[in-house]
Amino acid sequence: MLSLILPPDLDALRIILDEDPEFLLDAAAMVNCLGTCRLCERRFVPVAPFVESLEPLYGDSRRLHALLRHNQYISLSEALCGFCHADPGLLNMFQKMKKL
């Protein structure tokens, strides 16, 4: 249903858009929801605002949330990307930094 990582070239993007024109809406929603990870400064998409912005298109927010939650380029956290959120060492470091 969603492909969060944009294809590497325009030809691949055209093929995706031919098959699913609404992919462009997914990409626009993703760009509008971008955040920056407080640890690694990687750009990522927090799940909650992304699901909220796509819910009118897809209707089933629970299914959409379940589909998205395991993608590392999005995160359940509003402050940490999926890469850092999934790494206990980085998460521990982040929690220590917040106490300072």
Side-chain angles (χ1 to χ4, degrees):
M1 179 160 72
L2 294 174
S3 178
L4 290 177
I5 304 168
L6 292 175
D9 57 54
L10 285 175
D11 292 333
L13 179 60
R14 285 189 188 105
I15 291 168
I16 290 172
L17 290 174
D18 286 343
E19 292 172 4
D20 180 16
E22 289 189 353
F23 174 80
L24 202 53
L25 297 174
D26 299 342
M30 178 186 71
V31 169
N32 286 334
C33 295
L34 275 177
T36 302
C37 181
R38 287 193 190 165
L39 272 182
C40 69
E41 299 184 357
R42 183 186 281 116
R43 300 287 281 166
F44 75 102
V45 181
V47 169
F50 191 44
V51 168
E52 287 171 15
S53 62
L54 289 177
E55 189 175 13
L57 294 173
Y58 293 103
D60 187 351
S61 63
R62 285 184 184 172
R63 184 167 170 249
L64 187 58
H65 193 279
L67 176 73
L68 296 172
R69 70 179 293 147
H70 300 294
N71 187 308
Q72 289 181 310
Y73 290 93
I74 64 173
S75 180
L76 297 173
S77 167
E78 298 280 322
L80 296 176
C81 73
F83 295 93
C84 290
H85 197 265
D87 185 324
L90 286 175
L91 195 53
N92 186 33
M93 183 174 78
F94 179 71
Q95 288 167 342
K96 286 179 181 175
M97 287 169 51
K98 279 186 78 173
K99 289 179 185 175
L100 296 176

